[in-house]
Amino acid sequence: MQEHDLLATSWTWAGPEPIAQRVRAVGAAGFAGLSLSLDDLHEVRATIGFAELRRALDAAGMVWVQLGPLARWWTCSSRTAEQDADRGVVLEAAATLGAWQVVVRADVSLPGVSPAAMVDDWNDLADHAAKVGAQLVLEPEPWSNLPTVERASRFVAAAGHPNGGLLVDAMHALRGGSTLASIRQGVAPSTLAAVELSDGLLHTPSGMTLAEESASARHLPGAGAWDLPGLVRTLRDLGYDEPWGVEVRTPAHRAMPTEDALRTAAAATRAVLDAADAFGAPAAPAMPTTPAPTSAVDFEPPTHRPGTGADGVRRRDADTGTPA
């Protein structure tokens, strides 16, 4: 099987340890990248600083660094000073950390703005991200004004900014009503920029909203009911390559020591990717179920020689030790 770059999302590597220690654990578990949440970025800015974090990322072998998600990046009366500050911190961090991508959310407020009213702000933020070397990617959510990956892809394509892209989150996509066929037909390959894998139950648990399921019922890849190998193959057919984001969040996962949780998530995701790699490959030959017959070349009956028994084994006298 081929090797794959994995990226641990901020939920997957969350824990009580200092951030530099958790970064080392991400690298030790075999990940090649990670995403940093706004809480992470504010903590780093107030403590060790972004330059020191960049050194820690380098030491851990982190190639892919993703930041966000940012909310309310578009012009609206409900945007707060804190959200404006978040934007500044993310762009500052992207410049120092050499971030690969900055992730933004769609509008989750009600009644919500029209996506058409967000285009100018999208292009403006994509310009700012480009200046610090990061790509701007949109993560649609089923409860937002861009509830499906197909509609979000159309938004990104229509906006037309060369630095804009789409993040396909398995849970958001499948709970948003998308199928492998609709993703294949409705996501423009030119927009596909990032992927996050998690697994889920056949249906959202009773009494739980989609947002609550997203926050606390993201199962290990391969441990749920979804055809994740099929999703991987579909996204590959659209031209996506690496890295594969891993987003796991369940009470059981969060109760594990951070190092164990990361190793478990990496191993589970690699198994899904291996299954996608193996699709269509020739089947391995069946193993024999009965012993093969022994040929005459391999077997020669013993001959009786003086001092041997009928089985050909040489014997010694029990009293004298001399040949019998």
Side-chain angles (χ1 to χ4, degrees):
M1 298 298 177
Q2 59 181 302
E3 271 298 311
H4 299 285
D5 280 4
L6 302 183
L7 180 147
T9 67
S10 55
W11 280 354
T12 304
W13 66 289
E17 303 87 355
I19 194 165
Q21 181 179 334
R22 291 190 288 119
V23 167
R24 289 194 295 271
V26 172
F31 289 88
L34 53 73
S35 65
L36 290 146
S37 69
L38 287 168
D39 288 343
D40 292 328
L41 296 178
H42 283 293
E43 176 191 342
V44 169
R45 193 171 188 267
T47 55
I48 64 174
F50 295 133
E52 181 60 29
L53 176 59
R54 181 64 258 182
R55 286 188 283 272
L57 294 169
D58 289 340
M62 295 297 102
V63 177
W64 312 92
V65 178
Q66 192 181 64
L67 309 180
L70 274 174
R72 287 197 176 89
W73 42 269
W74 56 93
T75 302
C76 60
S77 58
S78 57
R79 194 163 83 183
T80 66
E82 288 79 8
Q83 287 163 337
D84 286 336
D86 287 342
R87 172 175 169 151
V89 169
V90 166
L91 293 174
E92 177 189 348
T96 306
L97 299 176
W100 165 56
Q101 289 179 338
V102 169
V103 180
V104 296
R105 303 177 70 187
D107 185 8
V108 298
S109 64
L110 293 175
V113 302
S114 165
M118 301 164 67
V119 171
D120 289 344
D121 291 299
W122 167 264
N123 287 332
D124 177 68
L125 186 52
D127 278 337
H128 282 83
K131 289 175 183 177
V132 296
Q135 182 184 26
L136 183 66
V137 296
L138 174 66
E139 181 174 9
E141 297 164 299
W143 51 90
S144 73
N145 66 336
L146 289 166
T148 69
V149 293
E150 294 85 0
R151 288 175 63 177
S153 178
R154 291 196 295 271
F155 171 87
V156 172
H161 200 290
N163 194 45
L166 169 71
L167 188 158
V168 174
D169 175 298
M171 173 164 278
H172 293 159
L174 300 177
R175 285 294 189 244
S178 297
T179 65
L180 300 189
S182 71
I183 292 170
R184 187 177 296 110
Q185 296 169 5
V187 171
S190 61
T191 65
L192 184 54
V195 175
E196 291 177 355
L197 299 176
S198 59
D199 217 326
L201 305 178
L202 191 61
H203 302 289
T204 300
S206 177
M208 187 177 283
T209 67
L210 289 178
E212 289 168 344
E213 181 186 24
S214 179
S216 61
R218 288 178 173 271
H219 295 274
L220 288 166
W226 300 340
D227 180 12
L228 290 186
L231 177 62
V232 169
R233 292 192 300 271
T234 297
L235 297 173
R236 282 180 180 159
D237 289 345
L238 290 172
Y240 188 75
D241 187 15
E242 307 280 335
W244 297 95
V246 184
E247 189 157 29
V248 180
R249 195 177 195 187
T250 62
H253 185 78
R254 291 181 66 81
M256 296 172 68
T258 304
E259 296 83 355
D260 294 342
L262 285 164
R263 284 193 293 267
T264 301
T269 306
R270 291 194 188 283
V272 166
L273 295 171
D274 287 347
D277 294 340
F279 181 79
M287 294 298 291
T289 57
T290 57
T294 303
S295 72
V297 174
D298 299 322
F299 177 74
E300 183 176 353
T303 57
H304 185 73
R305 300 185 302 277
T308 67
D311 58 1
V313 178
R314 193 169 182 82
R315 308 295 185 196
R316 287 185 177 272
D317 184 270
D319 295 327
T320 65
T322 58

